Amino acid sequence: MPELPEVETVRRGLSPVMEGAQIVRADIRREGLRWPFPDRMADRLTGARVQRLGRRSKYLLADLDTGETLITHLGMSGRLLISGHPLGKFHHDHPAPEKHDHVVLDMGNGARVTFNDPRRFGAMDLCETSGLEGHKLIRVLGPEPLGNAFDERYLVDALKHRNSPIKTALLDQGIIAGLGNIYVCEVLFRAGIHPARKASRLSSARISRLVPVIRDVLGEAIESGGSSLNDYRQADGELGYFQHNFRVYGREGQPCVTQGCAGKIRRITQSGRSTFYCAQCQR
Ligand SMILES: [Zn+2]
Protein backbone atom coordinates (compact mmCIF):
# COMPACT_ATOMS: atom_id res chain seq x y z
CA MET A 1 0.00 0.00 0.00
CA PRO A 2 1.44 3.39 -0.90
CA GLU A 3 2.27 5.49 2.14
CA LEU A 4 2.94 9.21 2.43
CA PRO A 5 6.47 9.14 0.90
CA GLU A 6 5.23 7.14 -2.09
CA VAL A 7 2.33 9.54 -2.63
CA GLU A 8 4.67 12.52 -2.37
CA THR A 9 6.95 10.86 -4.93
CA VAL A 10 3.97 10.39 -7.24
CA ARG A 11 3.08 14.07 -6.78
CA ARG A 12 6.59 15.17 -7.66
CA GLY A 13 6.62 12.95 -10.71
CA LEU A 14 3.24 14.17 -11.92
CA SER A 15 3.65 17.90 -11.35
CA PRO A 16 5.83 18.59 -14.41
CA VAL A 17 3.25 16.99 -16.71
CA MET A 18 0.09 18.26 -14.98
CA GLU A 19 0.76 21.69 -13.47
CA GLY A 20 -0.19 24.42 -15.91
CA ALA A 21 -1.58 21.89 -18.40
CA GLN A 22 -5.14 21.56 -19.57
CA ILE A 23 -7.11 18.32 -19.40
CA VAL A 24 -8.27 18.00 -23.00
CA ARG A 25 -9.97 14.64 -22.61
CA ALA A 26 -11.16 12.68 -19.58
CA ASP A 27 -12.04 9.05 -20.15
CA ILE A 28 -13.90 7.68 -17.14
CA ARG A 29 -14.03 3.96 -17.77
CA ARG A 30 -16.25 2.80 -14.89
CA GLU A 31 -18.83 4.11 -12.42
CA GLY A 32 -16.45 4.40 -9.53
CA LEU A 33 -13.83 2.72 -7.40
CA ARG A 34 -14.18 2.49 -3.64
CA TRP A 35 -17.04 4.98 -3.95
CA PRO A 36 -18.96 6.13 -7.04
CA PHE A 37 -17.23 8.84 -9.05
CA PRO A 38 -18.80 12.32 -8.79
CA ASP A 39 -21.62 13.31 -11.16
CA ARG A 40 -20.59 14.34 -14.67
CA MET A 41 -16.94 13.80 -13.78
CA ALA A 42 -15.73 13.76 -17.40
CA ASP A 43 -17.56 17.02 -18.20
CA ARG A 44 -16.23 18.74 -15.10
CA LEU A 45 -12.65 17.73 -15.89
CA THR A 46 -12.63 18.34 -19.63
CA GLY A 47 -11.17 21.74 -20.47
CA ALA A 48 -10.01 22.39 -16.92
CA ARG A 49 -6.46 23.56 -16.38
CA VAL A 50 -4.46 22.18 -13.44
CA GLN A 51 -3.16 25.15 -11.50
CA ARG A 52 -1.38 23.28 -8.74
CA LEU A 53 -0.79 19.70 -7.73
CA GLY A 54 -0.66 19.39 -3.95
CA ARG A 55 -0.91 16.69 -1.34
CA ARG A 56 -2.69 16.34 1.99
CA SER A 57 -1.84 13.13 3.84
CA LYS A 58 -2.15 10.43 1.17
CA TYR A 59 -4.50 12.45 -1.03
CA LEU A 60 -3.29 14.05 -4.24
CA LEU A 61 -5.04 17.38 -4.80
CA ALA A 62 -5.21 18.86 -8.27
CA ASP A 63 -6.55 22.43 -8.05
CA LEU A 64 -8.34 23.27 -11.29
CA ASP A 65 -9.06 26.67 -12.81
CA THR A 66 -12.76 25.78 -12.65
CA GLY A 67 -12.68 26.35 -8.88
CA GLU A 68 -12.78 22.65 -8.16
CA THR A 69 -10.15 20.28 -6.78
CA LEU A 70 -9.70 16.72 -8.02
CA ILE A 71 -8.96 14.49 -5.02
CA THR A 72 -7.19 11.20 -5.75
CA HIS A 73 -6.39 8.40 -3.33
CA LEU A 74 -4.39 5.41 -4.50
CA GLY A 75 -6.00 2.99 -2.04
CA MET A 76 -4.28 -0.39 -1.71
CA SER A 77 -3.08 -0.96 -5.24
CA GLY A 78 -3.64 2.25 -7.21
CA ARG A 79 -0.95 3.43 -9.62
CA LEU A 80 -0.60 6.50 -11.77
CA LEU A 81 1.21 6.12 -15.05
CA ILE A 82 2.52 8.74 -17.41
CA SER A 83 2.86 8.16 -21.12
CA GLY A 84 3.39 10.27 -24.20
CA HIS A 85 5.52 12.88 -22.48
CA PRO A 86 9.20 13.05 -23.29
CA LEU A 87 11.23 13.04 -20.10
CA GLY A 88 14.96 12.92 -20.44
CA LYS A 89 15.98 10.30 -22.92
CA PHE A 90 12.86 8.18 -22.50
CA HIS A 91 9.59 8.52 -24.27
CA HIS A 92 6.64 6.27 -23.59
CA ASP A 93 4.02 5.82 -26.24
CA HIS A 94 0.45 5.53 -25.02
CA PRO A 95 -0.19 1.88 -24.22
CA ALA A 96 -3.51 0.29 -25.16
CA PRO A 97 -5.94 0.69 -22.23
CA GLU A 98 -5.85 -2.23 -19.85
CA LYS A 99 -8.60 -3.81 -17.83
CA HIS A 100 -7.67 -1.96 -14.65
CA ASP A 101 -7.14 1.46 -16.24
CA HIS A 102 -10.13 3.25 -14.75
CA VAL A 103 -9.49 6.93 -15.46
CA VAL A 104 -7.43 8.28 -18.35
CA LEU A 105 -6.62 11.99 -18.56
CA ASP A 106 -5.12 13.41 -21.75
CA MET A 107 -3.28 16.65 -21.16
CA GLY A 108 -2.86 19.46 -23.66
CA ASN A 109 0.93 18.97 -23.60
CA GLY A 110 0.60 15.46 -25.03
CA ALA A 111 0.99 13.61 -21.73
CA ARG A 112 -1.46 10.96 -20.69
CA VAL A 113 -2.06 10.21 -17.01
CA THR A 114 -3.65 6.84 -16.34
CA PHE A 115 -5.09 5.72 -13.01
CA ASN A 116 -4.80 1.95 -12.79
CA ASP A 117 -6.14 0.11 -9.74
CA PRO A 118 -6.69 -3.68 -9.80
CA ARG A 119 -8.21 -3.91 -6.32
CA ARG A 120 -10.30 -0.75 -6.68
CA PHE A 121 -9.87 0.59 -3.14
CA GLY A 122 -8.72 3.86 -4.63
CA ALA A 123 -10.93 6.92 -4.88
CA MET A 124 -11.44 10.05 -6.94
CA ASP A 125 -13.72 12.92 -6.06
CA LEU A 126 -14.28 16.52 -7.06
CA CYS A 127 -15.11 19.31 -4.64
CA GLU A 128 -14.99 23.08 -4.54
CA THR A 129 -11.43 24.14 -3.73
CA SER A 130 -12.71 26.68 -1.20
CA GLY A 131 -14.55 23.91 0.67
CA LEU A 132 -11.75 21.34 0.60
CA GLU A 133 -10.97 21.50 4.32
CA GLY A 134 -14.57 20.51 5.03
CA HIS A 135 -14.56 17.51 2.66
CA LYS A 136 -15.44 14.29 4.49
CA LEU A 137 -12.07 12.68 3.70
CA ILE A 138 -9.99 15.74 4.60
CA ARG A 139 -11.67 17.23 7.66
CA VAL A 140 -10.88 14.16 9.84
CA LEU A 141 -7.12 14.46 9.29
CA GLY A 142 -4.66 15.63 11.92
CA PRO A 143 -1.67 17.81 11.05
CA GLU A 144 0.83 16.89 8.34
CA PRO A 145 3.91 15.29 9.92
CA LEU A 146 6.18 17.43 7.74
CA GLY A 147 4.17 20.62 8.27
CA ASN A 148 4.55 23.44 10.78
CA ALA A 149 1.51 22.52 12.90
CA PHE A 150 3.19 19.28 13.91
CA ASP A 151 5.68 19.84 16.72
CA GLU A 152 6.72 18.52 20.14
CA ARG A 153 4.12 20.45 22.07
CA TYR A 154 1.34 19.27 19.77
CA LEU A 155 2.31 15.60 20.00
CA VAL A 156 2.79 15.57 23.78
CA ASP A 157 -0.65 17.14 24.11
CA ALA A 158 -2.29 14.80 21.62
CA LEU A 159 -0.95 11.66 23.29
CA LYS A 160 -1.11 12.43 26.99
CA HIS A 161 -4.58 10.93 27.51
CA ARG A 162 -4.24 8.11 24.99
CA ASN A 163 -4.37 4.76 26.72
CA SER A 164 -3.78 2.80 23.54
CA PRO A 165 -0.35 1.41 22.62
CA ILE A 166 1.93 4.06 21.11
CA LYS A 167 1.97 2.12 17.82
CA THR A 168 -1.82 2.31 17.53
CA ALA A 169 -1.93 5.97 18.58
CA LEU A 170 0.60 6.99 15.93
CA LEU A 171 -1.47 5.24 13.26
CA ASP A 172 -4.52 7.34 14.19
CA GLN A 173 -4.96 9.67 11.19
CA GLY A 174 -6.69 12.21 13.43
CA ILE A 175 -3.44 12.58 15.42
CA ILE A 176 -0.97 12.54 12.51
CA ALA A 177 -2.09 12.51 8.89
CA GLY A 178 -0.54 10.02 6.52
CA LEU A 179 1.69 8.05 8.86
CA GLY A 180 1.16 4.37 7.98
CA ASN A 181 2.12 0.97 9.34
CA ILE A 182 5.55 0.63 7.74
CA TYR A 183 6.88 4.01 8.80
CA VAL A 184 5.43 3.80 12.33
CA CYS A 185 7.45 0.60 12.85
CA GLU A 186 10.59 2.33 11.59
CA VAL A 187 9.94 5.43 13.72
CA LEU A 188 9.48 3.46 16.95
CA PHE A 189 12.66 1.48 16.29
CA ARG A 190 14.72 4.62 15.75
CA ALA A 191 13.20 6.25 18.81
CA GLY A 192 13.90 3.14 20.91
CA ILE A 193 10.27 2.90 22.06
CA HIS A 194 8.53 -0.45 22.49
CA PRO A 195 5.42 -0.51 20.27
CA ALA A 196 3.17 -1.91 23.02
CA ARG A 197 3.92 0.89 25.49
CA LYS A 198 0.87 2.89 26.42
CA ALA A 199 1.08 6.33 24.85
CA SER A 200 -0.11 8.05 28.04
CA ARG A 201 2.67 6.40 30.05
CA LEU A 202 5.52 7.76 27.95
CA SER A 203 7.40 10.77 29.29
CA SER A 204 7.13 14.10 27.47
CA ALA A 205 10.83 13.79 26.62
CA ARG A 206 10.33 10.46 24.87
CA ILE A 207 7.23 11.69 23.02
CA SER A 208 9.10 14.82 21.95
CA ARG A 209 11.91 12.68 20.61
CA LEU A 210 9.41 11.12 18.17
CA VAL A 211 8.88 14.38 16.30
CA PRO A 212 12.33 14.72 14.69
CA VAL A 213 12.44 10.95 14.15
CA ILE A 214 9.12 11.01 12.25
CA ARG A 215 10.37 13.89 10.12
CA ASP A 216 13.67 12.12 9.43
CA VAL A 217 12.14 8.76 8.52
CA LEU A 218 9.59 10.30 6.15
CA GLY A 219 12.06 12.82 4.77
CA GLU A 220 14.62 10.13 3.95
CA ALA A 221 11.99 7.99 2.25
CA ILE A 222 10.80 10.94 0.15
CA GLU A 223 14.39 11.65 -0.77
CA SER A 224 15.03 8.10 -1.93
CA GLY A 225 11.75 8.25 -3.87
CA GLY A 226 12.87 11.49 -5.46
CA SER A 227 16.20 10.05 -6.53
CA SER A 228 14.34 7.06 -8.01
CA LEU A 229 12.26 9.38 -10.21
CA ASN A 230 15.02 10.05 -12.69
CA ASP A 231 15.74 6.53 -13.78
CA TYR A 232 12.81 4.55 -12.47
CA ARG A 233 9.82 6.49 -13.71
CA GLN A 234 11.43 7.16 -17.00
CA ALA A 235 12.22 3.50 -17.39
CA ASP A 236 8.61 2.32 -17.29
CA GLY A 237 6.33 5.29 -16.78
CA GLU A 238 5.20 4.20 -13.33
CA LEU A 239 5.46 6.48 -10.35
CA GLY A 240 5.98 6.11 -6.67
CA TYR A 241 7.36 2.65 -6.03
CA PHE A 242 11.00 2.46 -5.15
CA GLN A 243 13.56 0.40 -3.30
CA HIS A 244 13.49 0.77 0.45
CA ASN A 245 15.93 -0.20 3.12
CA PHE A 246 13.78 -0.80 6.16
CA ARG A 247 15.49 -1.45 9.47
CA VAL A 248 12.69 -3.49 11.07
CA TYR A 249 9.70 -3.63 8.73
CA GLY A 250 9.39 -7.05 7.06
CA ARG A 251 12.54 -8.35 8.79
CA GLU A 252 11.07 -10.87 11.27
CA GLY A 253 13.71 -13.28 12.58
CA GLN A 254 16.61 -11.33 11.08
CA PRO A 255 19.36 -9.80 13.23
CA CYS A 256 18.85 -6.27 14.54
CA VAL A 257 20.89 -3.68 12.62
CA THR A 258 21.96 -1.80 15.77
CA GLN A 259 25.67 -2.21 16.31
CA GLY A 260 26.37 -4.38 19.35
CA CYS A 261 22.76 -5.62 19.60
CA ALA A 262 22.36 -9.41 19.57
CA GLY A 263 18.57 -9.20 19.21
CA LYS A 264 16.43 -10.51 16.39
CA ILE A 265 13.51 -8.62 14.89
CA ARG A 266 10.17 -9.84 16.21
CA ARG A 267 6.69 -9.53 14.76
CA ILE A 268 3.52 -9.05 16.77
CA THR A 269 -0.01 -8.12 15.69
CA GLN A 270 -1.54 -4.90 17.00
CA SER A 271 -5.02 -3.76 15.94
CA GLY A 272 -4.85 -6.30 13.13
CA ARG A 273 -1.58 -4.96 11.71
CA SER A 274 1.90 -6.46 11.87
CA THR A 275 4.40 -4.67 14.06
CA PHE A 276 8.12 -5.34 13.69
CA TYR A 277 10.52 -4.36 16.48
CA CYS A 278 13.65 -5.27 18.42
CA ALA A 279 12.90 -6.17 22.04
CA GLN A 280 16.51 -5.33 23.00
CA CYS A 281 16.58 -1.83 21.53
CA GLN A 282 12.98 -0.82 22.15
CA ARG A 283 11.80 -0.33 25.73
ZN1 LIG B 1 18.29 -4.29 18.60
Side-chain angles (χ1 to χ4, degrees), residues 163-193:
N163 287 318
S164 53
I166 182 67
K167 159 87 189 305
T168 311
L170 292 177
L171 280 178
D172 183 336
Q173 300 299 295
I175 294 181
I176 310 171
L179 200 57
N181 196 45
I182 294 172
Y183 293 103
V184 169
C185 294
E186 296 293 305
V187 161
L188 289 173
F189 174 71
R190 284 206 209 179
I193 297 174

Side-chain angles (χ1 to χ4, degrees), residues 189 248 255-265 277-282:
F189 174 71
V248 287
C256 175
V257 298
T258 305
Q259 211 148 44
C261 176
K264 281 193 172 26
I265 304 307
Y277 71 104
C278 173
Q280 307 288 317
C281 296
Q282 293 174 252

Side-chain angles (χ1 to χ4, degrees), residues 58-261:
K58 295 196 280 183
Y59 298 98
L60 288 166
L61 305 171
D63 293 345
L64 309 173
D65 66 355
T66 54
E68 291 195 300
T69 294
L70 174 65
I71 305 172
T72 302
H73 192 274
L74 299 173
M76 307 280 285
S77 58
R79 303 178 307 153
L80 284 159
L81 300 115
I82 298 173
S83 55
H85 193 265
L87 291 157
K89 58 189 171 179
F90 296 96
H91 181 96
H92 308 286
D93 291 331
H94 298 319
E98 288 177 28
K99 185 176 169 201
H100 301 297
D101 290 349
H102 305 307
V103 174
V104 179
L105 303 178
D106 281 326
M107 311 303 295
N109 56 18
R112 174 174 289 176
V113 177
T114 300
F115 185 20
N116 174 289
D117 184 6
R119 295 180 65 182
R120 302 204 302 266
F121 281 104
M124 273 189 169
D125 199 6
L126 277 162
C127 82
E128 282 188 29
T129 304
S130 59
L132 183 67
E133 283 302 314
H135 189 278
K136 64 175 195 280
L137 297 172
I138 305 294
R139 68 176 176 233
V140 295
L141 299 172
E144 285 292 308
L146 299 171
N148 293 331
F150 181 70
D151 61 12
E152 284 81 354
R153 182 192 278 184
Y154 166 80
L155 194 60
V156 167
D157 225 47
L159 294 180
K160 68 181 171 203
H161 299 303
R162 290 280 169 155
N163 287 318
S164 53
I166 182 67
K167 159 87 189 305
T168 311
L170 292 177
L171 280 178
D172 183 336
Q173 300 299 295
I175 294 181
I176 310 171
L179 200 57
N181 196 45
I182 294 172
Y183 293 103
V184 169
C185 294
E186 296 293 305
V187 161
L188 289 173
F189 174 71
R190 284 206 209 179
I193 297 174
H194 194 289
R197 281 230 173 221
K198 275 192 177 160
S200 57
R201 294 287 198 81
L202 287 162
S203 68
S204 299
R206 297 191 82 195
I207 295 284
S208 297
R209 172 80 191 110
L210 283 167
V211 171
V213 172
I214 289 169
R215 289 181 187 274
D216 284 352
V217 166
L218 293 175
E220 286 167 24
I222 289 171
E223 212 168 285
S224 69
S227 59
S228 77
L229 274 180
N230 284 334
D231 35 279
Y232 193 73
R233 168 189 59 184
Q234 294 178 13
D236 67 358
E238 180 178 335
L239 297 167
Y241 294 81
F242 45 90
Q243 202 57 47
H244 287 288
N245 291 308
F246 297 127
R247 298 187 190 173
V248 287
Y249 188 83
R251 298 191 62 243
E252 183 182 10
Q254 294 180 42
C256 175
V257 298
T258 305
Q259 211 148 44
C261 176

